[in-house]
Amino acid sequence: MSSKDVIILTGNEVYLTDNFIGKLKKKYMSGFEDMNFFVIDNIKNRGDEVGRFMNTIPFMVEKKIMVIENCDFLTSKKSLAADDEKHIMGYLDSRVDENILIFNCSGIKVDSRKKLYKKINKMGSIVKYDKLKENELVSWIKMYVSKNNREMSDGDVHYLAQVIGYLDYESPLTLYDVKNELDKLISNTEKGGDINRSNIDSVTIISIENNIFKLVDFICEGNSDNAFRMVYDMIGKNVAAHYIFHMISRHYRLLLRLYLMEKDGYSSNEIQKAMGLRPFSFNKMKKQQRQLSQNKVKKIYDMCFDFDKRVKKGLLDMETGIDMIITAAKE
């Protein structure tokens, strides 16, 4: 029995989790999937099915695979029913098969103190797929583009990685979203052809965070015409005015914090880590900082703070508040 035959899959990158399961199916199953691959969406009152399926001989393939989804019973907030836990633990204690049992915990925070987790950690494997870091995402994009017989320069790959939104702070996007954008770019270019920045700008959905950077660029420059145009374009595309206001306020708060941390002697690396900023975002913020005095940043942030209170009391419309901020920034 292999130590890899019982697996807990964790992490937030669901694409890589699904890809892992897909590779196992490809490795151990060449047909007859209906009889050898089984998914349990909810284990409640079905714990006895685990042993029954796993302990039967694979039909015309090397191994059978069972995937248990919705594993919130491995979090700190929920637990397995006593009978289900008894059946699963009993199977793990006495199993003789070499089939593969997977607990798919993608997207949830597992509790390593759980009895079942400890058991699997000891006898099997914990496989974690977190979201890719910037250099990993760049490599993945290059691989996917090359696999689909397209070319991209290193500069354009880095540009796409930045603007697509996957790397944004607390972004909910996964590689499925990146793949969808790449598939659109691939379908709009010839086989063997180049995907360039012009293609990216015309086809790809640019992330809200990058749009906010552009909007604040316009506001910092006092370019009110473009700022107004961009705000109402975003609202026209169903981006809520409250969200735009929140992002502008957050951005000026970060700019103010940048000034204060520099004044207190923090290094660039320390500031980036404390503020949760990637080098790309930090460098853009530094550029904006050079256009504004600390007093100007504080003035706009104080306006945001005041407008937020007034909006919550019904004394100000949010879109009007955004207009007033853009106008004040030009003065």
Side-chain angles (χ1 to χ4, degrees), residues 101-114:
L101 176 61
I102 297 172
F103 294 83
N104 189 358
C105 301
S106 180
I108 65 173
K109 186 176 181 180
V110 296
D111 186 350
S112 60
R113 299 169 298 178
K114 292 278 186 174

Side-chain angles (χ1 to χ4, degrees), residues 14 26 28 35 94-96 98 108 162 188 203 205 219 232 241 251 257 265 291 317:
V14 64
K26 185 176 181 180
Y28 295 114
M35 303 183 70
S94 60
R95 73 185 296 253
V96 294
E98 293 188 352
I108 65 173
Q162 294 292 349
N188 279 273
V203 174
I205 298 174
I219 295 173
Y232 288 102
H251 199 91
R257 189 179 176 190
Q291 297 174 289
D317 175 76

Side-chain angles (χ1 to χ4, degrees), residues 206-296:
I206 306 300
S207 75
I208 294 298
E209 184 165 318
N210 278 283
N211 276 329
I212 293 295
F213 261 118
K214 290 181 182 178
L215 174 59
V216 177
D217 270 339
F218 289 142
I219 295 173
C220 291
E221 294 164 3
N223 191 339
S224 56
D225 288 343
N226 280 335
F228 283 128
R229 188 178 299 112
M230 189 168 187
V231 166
Y232 288 102
D233 180 62
M234 292 169 73
I235 291 173
K237 292 178 180 176
N238 297 317
V239 179
H242 281 72
Y243 181 75
I244 296 172
F245 178 84
H246 163 75
M247 293 298 287
I248 293 172
S249 177
R250 170 184 176 271
H251 199 91
Y252 274 94
R253 174 171 54 81
L254 290 175
L255 280 171
L256 184 59
R257 189 179 176 190
L258 175 58
Y259 269 112
L260 296 175
M261 291 189 74
E262 286 183 338
K263 189 175 181 180
D264 288 340
Y266 288 92
S267 68
S268 293
N269 287 336
E270 289 172 330
I271 294 172
Q272 287 181 61
K273 185 175 181 180
M275 294 173 62
L277 295 172
R278 292 176 287 113
F280 173 78
S281 300
F282 178 77
N283 290 334
K284 292 195 74 172
M285 197 163 283
K286 285 290 293 180
K287 181 180 177 182
Q288 291 170 346
Q289 182 195 36
R290 288 192 290 270
Q291 297 174 289
L292 301 165
S293 67
Q294 182 177 335
N295 288 337
K296 186 66 172 287

Side-chain angles (χ1 to χ4, degrees), residues 36-66:
N36 296 286
F37 181 73
F38 187 44
V39 177
I40 295 182
D41 291 324
N42 190 334
I43 197 67
K44 186 177 181 180
N45 299 323
R46 300 180 68 182
D48 58 331
E49 294 183 39
V50 176
R52 288 206 305 270
F53 178 83
M54 295 296 289
N55 280 320
T56 54
I57 298 172
F59 181 74
M60 302 292 287
V61 298
E62 188 175 346
K63 293 188 179 189
K64 299 171 72 173
I65 299 174
M66 171 180 274

Side-chain angles (χ1 to χ4, degrees), residues 242 245 248-249 299-329:
H242 281 72
F245 178 84
I248 293 172
S249 177
K299 174 187 173 183
I300 301 299
Y301 176 68
D302 286 344
M303 284 182 66
C304 291
F305 184 77
D306 177 57
F307 288 175
D308 183 55
K309 291 191 294 183
R310 290 167 63 184
V311 167
K312 288 175 180 176
K313 292 179 180 179
L315 302 175
L316 181 69
D317 175 76
M318 187 61 78
E319 291 184 23
T320 302
I322 294 172
D323 290 350
M324 291 170 69
I325 290 168
I326 293 172
T327 301

